Amino acid sequence: MKYVLVTGGVISGVGKGIIASSIGTILKSHGVRVTSIKIDPYINIDAGTFSPYEHGEVFVLDDGGEVDLDLGNYERFLDVTLHRDNNITTGKIYQQVIDKERKGDYLGKTVQVVPHITNAIQDWVTKVAETPVEGNERADVCIIELGGTVGDIEGMPFIEAFRQFQFRVKKENICCVHVSLIPQPKTTGEQKSKPTQSSVRELRGLGLSPDVIVCRSVTPLAENVKDKISLFCHVDPEQVYCVHDVTSIYRVPLLLQGQGADDFLIKRLQLQTSQVSRSKHLIARWRELADRHDRLLKEVSIVLVGKYTELSDSYASVIKALQHASLAANHRLDLKCIEAADLEESTRQENPQKYHEAWKELVAANGLIVPGGFGVRGSEGKIRACHWARTKKIPFLGVCLGLQCAVIEFSRNVLKWEDANSTEMNPDTSHPVVIEMPEHNTGQMGGTMRLGKRKTLFKTEKSIMRKLYRNQDSVEERHRHRYEVNPEMVAVLEEKGMRFVGRSEDGERMEIMEMEDHPFYVGVQFHPEYISRPLQPSPPYLGLLLASCKKLSSFASQGFRPSPRMSFCEDSDGGTDGDSLLDEKDDAAP
């Protein structure tokens, strides 16, 4: 097993996750099997109880693991399925060590950071690296991203663990990649290498010497700056790579490959010739994807009505899924995020300007999405947005809480149940159309929701969502919720035109909702964004974007199957928007 350790310096959020994912992508383009591990030095057991403002969204895996959003980047870039153990936290490591100590596994010895914690880290990495992520075959290379910044006190045990680890696995089997920021003050416009020098000096002082330095900068790295970094950081100039700001993240793997990163890593890790199949198909598709993103001229406006809109990472997977679908629909995504509370009557009274600005953006949108969330704040604004989309025939997708808000709105305005609500928002409502799951453990927060991959069965063939899923009898998507549509209310809702076309295997949970006599009004209880891929967009998101671009009917006329190497549908003048993102091999549903 070969390992690539990715560390970060100067600031957090420098882009380690994208760099690590891109390294995996360029290695995969050579036929190398890749797995990945994300290390988060916080003491939390997992990301499940975080506020989205802390670390962005909580990403959910097939096995129900609630993990850091960077694992979403790995799955999307590498097209692999990871597991909860691929995310290591300080909390998990300490919990494991303390449990062993309580059982007496250390035979009465004093339990210390060195060697017990550091050994536990190394053992965990070794075990996860050996776990297959593609079929039954073990990966050739494990890419490990160490979260945080070099010098953080929380990360010290992990740095020490990898200092020891390089001797356990031998130096030729591990490569250290350090990602650092090159600031460029506006006053002088000069790129500054000193922060990177200091960061590398600190890393080397802790026993890890980087083989590769990836410099994040606004503009391409000047040669004299590269030479200075090479001189002071003990690496060849060829091992200093620049990743400057680009038009899309799809260009990052191309940037690294263009500077020879793939050839260096293959040589540095001594990957055997038999392991390296120089297939350029994957990287060619990434190039096509990046080019497509840059040349699209037509725009489609989508409004996201949420409650964590101050930080875009709070909806990272939703935004990625919208981008994947917009590329497939040959339109540039113009995404506007509206705070749900700004649509409410209370905001109209307190801040009329903010209220009218929010509604102005909402009514101008081509399509509307209401994503998941928790809590009372902003719920009435989301319900108002659902009402607007339903009555004005605006393409709409409700995800998780978005589905529940659509059901509440329909119950209030069509069934005339004025106090209809979720028991999460109003436990005393006389019409609880959304209720808490019976098995939910109310005494504990972490890991108690309905999590991970679950099967949804289609109950009818007359369904737009079934057709978008290529007419499958069932689909498997990832869930993260503790409230659901009240099954006792379903019959009344369906009598008035709200159809629940997809249900759980036992028929008790409402998974997919569609509205009759509407261009596209869909709600799903699961989170389809989690398994959306750049080359395989999520069907619910694709349906929203096609409807918003007024292409859904044309797509339907093709039998919901894109023509090979052609756009999804023709423009009104008979021309096409360009090549489709998908070819025949991509026709299978995710």
Side-chain angles (χ1 to χ4, degrees), residues 97 101 105-117:
V97 170
E101 186 273 333
D105 290 356
Y106 295 116
L107 302 176
K109 291 184 178 179
T110 303
V111 180
Q112 298 175 291
V113 173
V114 180
H116 300 102
I117 295 296

Side-chain angles (χ1 to χ4, degrees), residues 78-109:
L78 306 179
D79 196 21
V80 296
T81 301
L82 302 176
H83 314 285
R84 66 174 75 236
D85 286 347
N86 288 80
N87 190 199
I88 302 174
T89 69
T90 298
K92 286 181 179 180
I93 295 295
Y94 272 80
Q95 185 180 58
Q96 182 190 74
V97 170
I98 290 170
D99 288 345
K100 291 177 71 174
E101 186 273 333
R102 291 288 86 189
K103 287 188 245 178
D105 290 356
Y106 295 116
L107 302 176
K109 291 184 178 179

Side-chain angles (χ1 to χ4, degrees), residues 86-310:
N86 288 80
N87 190 199
I88 302 174
T89 69
T90 298
K92 286 181 179 180
I93 295 295
Y94 272 80
Q95 185 180 58
Q96 182 190 74
V97 170
I98 290 170
D99 288 345
K100 291 177 71 174
E101 186 273 333
R102 291 288 86 189
K103 287 188 245 178
D105 290 356
Y106 295 116
L107 302 176
K109 291 184 178 179
T110 303
V111 180
Q112 298 175 291
V113 173
V114 180
H116 300 102
I117 295 296
T118 53
N119 283 347
I121 294 168
Q122 295 174 67
D123 292 342
W124 193 306
V125 168
T126 303
K127 177 184 175 183
V128 173
E130 301 284 342
T131 304
V133 292
E134 296 181 84
N136 296 319
E137 293 188 346
R138 192 190 75 165
D140 303 313
V141 177
C142 178
I143 299 172
I144 306 159
E145 179 195 345
L146 177 56
T149 308
V150 170
D152 291 347
I153 191 169
E154 297 92 346
M156 290 300 183
F158 294 98
I159 294 287
E160 172 60 22
F162 285 108
R163 185 194 67 78
Q164 300 171 22
F165 192 65
Q166 61 190 340
F167 298 103
R168 179 190 283 201
V169 301
K170 307 303 179 188
K171 186 68 176 175
E172 63 269 19
N173 294 323
I174 183 169
C175 176
C176 182
V177 176
H178 189 63
V179 184
S180 185
L181 178 71
I182 304 294
Q184 192 168 349
K186 290 184 178 180
T187 51
T188 63
E190 183 183 4
Q191 294 174 332
K192 298 294 185 180
S193 66
K194 190 66 71 178
T196 297
Q197 296 176 39
S198 301
S199 178
V200 172
R201 187 182 304 114
E202 184 164 12
L203 183 62
R204 294 184 67 199
L206 295 170
L208 286 174
S209 185
D211 300 284
V212 170
I213 298 175
V214 178
C215 299
R216 284 284 292 111
S217 58
V218 175
T219 57
L221 200 63
E223 282 299 319
N224 66 314
V225 178
K226 178 187 279 193
D227 292 339
K228 185 181 290 187
I229 292 171
S230 168
L231 179 64
F232 287 101
C233 297
H234 199 62
V235 293
D236 287 336
E238 293 76 21
Q239 292 161 236
V240 179
Y241 303 129
C242 170
V243 176
H244 56 273
D245 290 353
V246 286
T247 53
S248 72
I249 60 172
Y250 309 126
R251 291 222 171 267
V252 179
L254 306 177
L255 265 180
L256 291 174
Q257 192 202 41
Q259 296 172 74
D262 50 350
D263 293 330
F264 171 80
L265 289 167
I266 289 168
K267 181 179 178 181
R268 170 66 180 78
L269 294 172
Q270 300 177 14
L271 292 170
Q272 300 299 315
T273 306
S274 59
Q275 290 178 289
V276 182
S277 170
R278 283 194 169 273
S279 169
K280 298 298 183 184
H281 181 60
L282 177 63
I283 210 71
R285 295 173 79 183
W286 275 97
R287 183 171 286 106
E288 178 187 350
L289 193 67
D291 291 343
R292 167 179 296 278
H293 177 276
D294 292 348
R295 70 170 179 255
L296 291 176
L297 298 177
K298 294 183 179 179
E299 280 193 348
V300 57
S301 174
I302 301 294
V303 161
L304 183 154
V305 180
K307 58 184 292 186
Y308 314 112
T309 55
E310 291 179 19

Side-chain angles (χ1 to χ4, degrees), residues 19 85 118 247 254 346 352 372 379 452 478 516:
I19 300 297
D85 286 347
T118 53
T247 53
L254 306 177
S346 58
S379 59
R478 297 175 183 176
E516 296 176 349

Side-chain angles (χ1 to χ4, degrees), residues 44-63:
N44 303 64
I45 298 298
D46 57 35
T49 57
F50 276 140
S51 161
Y53 289 132
E54 287 287 322
H55 285 268
E57 72 167 7
V58 177
F59 190 79
V60 177
L61 303 171
D62 274 4
D63 62 5

Side-chain angles (χ1 to χ4, degrees), residues 479-543:
H479 293 67
R480 185 176 186 253
H481 65 101
R482 58 170 59 97
Y483 289 85
E484 60 188 12
V485 177
N486 189 345
E488 295 180 2
M489 306 287 190
V490 168
V492 184
L493 291 165
E494 290 196 318
E495 282 180 11
K496 295 294 185 178
M498 178 170 274
R499 302 165 57 234
F500 294 93
V501 299
R503 305 190 184 188
S504 60
E505 291 182 276
D506 60 9
E508 291 297 312
R509 292 189 163 97
M510 305 303 115
E511 297 281 4
I512 303 176
M513 176 275 292
E514 295 179 7
M515 187 69 68
E516 296 176 349
D517 302 321
H518 195 286
F520 189 85
Y521 193 89
V522 170
V524 293
Q525 185 59 69
F526 46 80
H527 290 263
E529 64 270 15
Y530 288 142
I531 60 173
S532 180
R533 301 285 187 265
L535 300 170
Q536 289 184 328
S538 167
Y541 284 86
L542 179 59

